[in-house]
Amino acid sequence: MSTKVNRRQKIRYRIRKKISGTAQNPRLSVFRSNSDIYVQLIDDTNGTTLASASSRDKDIKAQKGTKSEKSKMVGAALATKATALGLTTCVFDRSGYLYHGRIKAVADGAREGGLQF
């Protein structure tokens, strides 16, 4: 693996030592690829995914806009799924990425959708 990927993995493991999700306060995990973004609400005590959303979902993929704008839509979509499950709070896991650009857009979209972290 490249040094950039190794660096992100080290940061990711360091973050995961400190945060964990529960059924009432799940972990909002983000994965960013070159073209898409994926988010999940994870209950680490049971090891299950409670809700997920991505930029590859049909309603988001059909929208026009930049990757950052679509990331904000993904955050809002996950927030609506979370409120349908009765969840209002979560712990944000940036997965070693800088809190900037698309990662920040996901967090902003989720906050606007009603999630708190």
Side-chain angles (χ1 to χ4, degrees):
M1 288 200 285
S2 68
T3 56
K4 192 181 232 185
V5 175
N6 285 336
R7 181 180 172 277
R8 188 182 80 79
Q9 284 292 75
K10 284 182 184 178
I11 295 168
R12 185 171 165 249
Y13 294 147
R14 198 175 325 132
I15 291 169
R16 285 288 290 122
K17 274 193 247 180
K18 296 176 185 173
I19 66 171
S20 180
T22 61
Q24 295 303 315
N25 195 19
R27 176 170 56 96
L28 193 155
S29 178
V30 179
F31 175 73
R32 186 190 75 189
S33 72
N34 284 338
S35 56
D36 295 307
I37 195 152
Y38 308 86
V39 292
Q40 295 179 332
L41 283 176
I42 301 171
D43 175 10
D44 289 314
T45 54
N46 295 324
T48 57
T49 299
L50 305 174
S52 66
S54 74
S55 58
R56 297 189 70 178
D57 294 344
K58 288 184 181 180
D59 54 342
I60 296 172
K61 193 171 185 126
Q63 300 286 329
K64 298 285 184 191
T66 63
K67 290 189 273 187
S68 292
E69 291 167 353
K70 287 188 178 184
S71 297
K72 195 168 190 175
M73 290 182 228
V74 169
L78 186 75
T80 57
K81 289 180 182 181
T83 52
L85 292 171
L87 300 171
T88 56
T89 62
C90 65
V91 180
F92 190 73
D93 178 12
R94 60 187 176 91
S95 300
Y97 302 110
L98 293 177
Y99 187 79
H100 182 267
R102 288 194 279 160
I103 304 299
K104 186 178 179 189
V106 167
D108 291 341
R111 280 192 194 102
E112 288 175 11
L115 278 178
Q116 297 175 346
F117 41 86

